[in-house]
Amino acid sequence: MELKSNQSALILEVDDADEISVNVASGDQDGITAQLCQAIAMKLMSDETFQAELMDMLDDE
């Protein structure tokens, strides 16, 4: 995937042990989209309440 300078993306990866890692890709690492993705990634990895909310959303579908 090639990103423009005004685009960023969260990349979620699951390993063989079902552990999820979060990475950020961006056309401009200092841009607002990269900063927002970094903030979301940090919240996703550190906030257990947020993680539980997301898993609950998956269970509801």
Side-chain angles (χ1 to χ4, degrees):
M1 170 192 280
E2 193 169 323
L3 297 171
K4 297 178 185 176
S5 63
N6 65 343
Q7 296 177 319
S8 298
L10 287 177
I11 301 167
L12 306 178
E13 183 177 350
V14 65
D15 64 15
D16 293 335
D18 290 334
E19 294 290 323
I20 296 175
S21 62
V22 180
N23 296 292
V24 175
S26 183
D28 176 8
Q29 292 296 326
D30 297 321
I32 187 70
T33 59
Q35 292 174 13
L36 285 169
C37 280
Q38 287 288 349
I40 293 167
M42 287 174 39
K43 182 171 180 70
L44 181 58
M45 296 306 294
S46 65
D47 187 331
E48 291 181 15
T49 302
F50 185 53
Q51 294 169 7
E53 289 174 9
L54 291 172
M55 296 310 288
D56 287 345
M57 291 171 74
L58 293 177
D59 289 340
D60 290 343
E61 290 182 5

